Amino acid sequence: MMVSCTRRVMQDTCEKKHLLTLVTDLPSVTQDRAIALHELGMYRVADLIKHLPMRYETHHGGMTIEAAEALLGDQDAIPELVTIESTVIKVNPGWRRGKKSKVEAAVEDETGRMHINWFNQPWVARSLHPDMRIRLHGSLSIRKGLLQMNNPRWEEIKEDEPTLTIDSELRPVYPASERISSSVIATIIAEVLEGALPEIDDHLSQAMLDTLSMPTLSSAYAMCHKPEANDAVKEGRRRIAYDELLLLQLGVMMKRHHRLDTMRAPKLLWNDEIKQRIEARIPFTLTKSQQAVIEEIAGDITTTMPMNRLLQGDVGSGKTVVALHAMLMAVTCGSQAAMMAPTELLAEQHYKTITTLLDNSQVTTALLTSSLSPKERTEHIQKISDGTIDIIVGTHALLTDDVIFSNIAVAITDEQHRFGVQQRALLRNKSDDLHAIPHTLVMTATPIPRTLSLTVFGDLDVSTIKGMPPGRTPITTRLVQPEQADKVYMYMRELLDKGQQGYVVVPLVEETDSGLKSVTAHAASLRDGYLSGKSIGVVHGRMKSDEREETMQQFRSGKIDVLVATTVIEVGVDIANATMMIIEHADRFGLAQLHQLRGRVGRGLLPGVCALIASPTTDDAQHRLEAIVETTDGFQIAERDLEIRGPGELFGAKQSGIAPFKIARLPRDFDLLRLARRNAVEWIQRDPTLHNSPLLRARLMHIHGEALGLGDVA
Ligand code: ADP
Ligand code: MG
């Protein structure tokens, strides 16, 4: 057995002799080029093959000037490079200033005339003379109605050379670097292509490819590297993009299957009696949407299949009470529940909300953050592990190794985009049962656009709270130039005079020489200036938490009129009497961040106002500010954010460690993504561990195994 295995491996290696060849062993790869290729992540021929062109150019063979002019008339997306044979009529040495120079020439053929410029190549003037026949190669442009070429390559046409035949060719343009050009990469790839292509095994069956009407992997790479026509390029890229999407979907579905099939969570109870008991504690009526979401959650956690659900709902939509329902379902069944928040401030806020709602009940609660004293911490941990505490609220301090629950049934994470995908669901139980995990609910106020929810977050079921609780007045948002700041602060003053409160948000804690406002300095200048006589408090992330809590308490009780703060107040602060927010240097903040910040006002019956003070200096900043002024709908804001920033940066996708797509682009390839998802779902149903497709499985593990934590699955 051993022997035959070894032989197979060796055979495989032999069969892949081209693909496995080191680039340093290729004749055309000099030492310099090797270094450059290594820098671009290419070590073997296989890496070269996977290095796909970023775009294509059409190169035209011999062409007349007249035809070239016509070509320019209907230029489409692909830049045209042409070769033209012509006769020099005039050479003008042009001008020269220091290192800069320009040589001009006029050329003609039987059909027309063209103007040529060579910049910074003064020697050209010496090599060219009238009546000389030259072949020019470069891209075309029009200037003052005359066809021209800038810096074309050129060579003299020998007497006996045949004229060029007219043809056109699509040439790949590769991602390159300063050390190595696209055309050198193209030459190297062209040399290895023929040997390597037949060695590429497909992980999809021919039958499946037929159904999908897609080419084999080998032909797809051929189509991309040796393009014959635009359509072929598209076909090749489509197959490779599909593969990228399919592999991620398979990984996600594999993990999902593993969770549902082999992991277990406590089966909790949900009935009218429990429902009424919880609702009796809530001082308002749940909206239809909140009720629907609670039923979805209840549907999950009344089974032993571990829930993995994302609860999205705009800022202020009322996610906390929904979470409380899930936690109380656990407590009713004698289990524990935990709620984890990204900041101490938010954890404190949640703790306060929860304890207020549970006032005079049997339910025991505790707050675990890193600002507890060692003694308090030890006590809390003890009570968590012996089951004395039912509901634990905390920060990531809950994730340390010594926090072990007696029997946790529900784990809730708030505002998960700050955690990144990986940090979820690490809360552990005392039991040794490796297959027992809690039900998990992740809450976010930054809705995840559909395209992304299917990829990085593809393992999550999504519940959405639509709309807001009744009685909210929409927030008015205005963009204000810094010169007009006085008007804004005067308006705030008027509101404060009426007994309302406000926030002023600045980017920095302490003064630097960046010219940006800081909490301390700005608070001082407001005390002496626009807001003199008003009580001004400060809050930022570098304060001790008891100090901060005290300030918050004073703000809550109305002793403080205005809170000058950094983005620490972005989440969780819930004070209905605060009606106005001024954000200084608003162009410095991200779109989701601005939306979150703005959500701190307009939380009561009084109308909310948000003034963004900024004079944006970049297009992106301008677009962000336009978006935030135009809409208060978090879902629209999330889509705009995706447009402005691109998917990579959002929602912890980067921190997730999931390999980025090389070819697939979202939202452009959304249809392909849906196809891949459908196929992956069916596939994993048939073959949950991809046992029957070892090559596919190996490639999947190689690319996503680690990031998706597929180790236990396989
Ligand atoms: P978020 O979704 O931003 O976490 P919260 O859960 O903090 O929102 O809720 C925002 C505010 O709305 C809280 O003061 C909460 O008590 C209140 N609230 C939630 N649901 C309702 C409801 N159905 N009717 C009235 N007020 C509600
Ligand atoms: Mg919240």
Side-chain angles (χ1 to χ4, degrees), residues 489 504-527 536-542 563-567 582-585 588-589:
Y489 282 100
V504 177
V505 179
V506 295
L508 302 177
V509 177
E510 277 158 22
E511 203 74 10
T512 63
D513 50 13
S514 61
L516 297 177
K517 294 197 165 68
S518 71
V519 173
T520 11
H522 195 53
S525 88
L526 291 177
R527 273 186 202 111
I536 297 176
V538 300
V539 172
H540 55 76
R542 283 193 224 151
L563 212 51
V564 180
T566 55
T567 53
I582 299 174
I583 304 179
E584 292 275 357
H585 306 286
R588 293 298 176 123
F589 299 99

Side-chain angles (χ1 to χ4, degrees), residues 282-287 290 313-322 349-350 353 357 414-415 443-445 465 468-470 472 572 574 596 599-600 603:
I282 298 172
F284 43 73
T285 317
L286 294 173
T287 64
Q290 282 171 319
D314 215 337
V315 189
S317 62
K319 296 183 287 295
T320 319
V321 283
V322 172
Q349 182 90 32
H350 278 317
T353 309
L357 290 171
D414 194 10
E415 312 290 351
M443 302 196 288
T444 178
I465 301 183
M468 290 284 167
R472 298 283 165 83
D574 185 13
Q596 295 283 329
R600 300 306 109 211
R603 293 176 83 84

